[in-house]
Amino acid sequence: MNYGLYDLAGNIGVLMMVIAYLLLQLDKLSSSSVSYLLLNAVGALFVIVSLIFHFNLSAFLMEVFWLLISLFGLGKTLFSRQQQSSA
C-alpha cells in the first residue's frame, strides 16, 4: 500500500473533525463557535482532497455536505457577530 500526501491530508482532516466533535462533547467548544466550524470545514476539505485521489461517491457526498453546512454555520455566525457589533 502506498501512503501519499493525499492520504495524510485525509487522515488529518478526519482527526480535525473528530477533535472538533470531542471538544463539543466536552463542552470546550460551542456548536456555533468559529473554531468548531473551521475545524469541521477544513477537516472536510482535507478529506475531499484525499477522496479526489481515491474516489468514493458516498464519502465524497458526505464530506461535501459537511463542508457546505460548516460554511453555512460559519457565515451565519460571522454575520451575526457583525450585526451585533454594528448595533
Side-chain angles (χ1 to χ4, degrees), residues 3-21:
Y3 188 84
L5 215 47
Y6 52 87
D7 294 310
L8 178 61
N11 289 335
I12 290 171
V14 168
L15 184 61
M16 290 173 77
M17 291 187 294
V18 169
I19 287 171
Y21 189 58

Side-chain angles (χ1 to χ4, degrees), residues 7 26 48 55 65 85:
D7 294 310
L26 294 172
I48 289 170
F55 192 73
F65 282 110
S85 68

Side-chain angles (χ1 to χ4, degrees), residues 35-61:
S35 299
Y36 176 76
L37 295 165
L38 278 175
L39 278 169
N40 274 302
V42 174
L45 188 61
F46 280 16
V47 173
I48 289 170
V49 167
S50 74
L51 286 169
I52 290 170
F53 293 91
H54 291 293
F55 192 73
N56 176 316
L57 181 60
S58 300
F60 182 79
L61 290 173

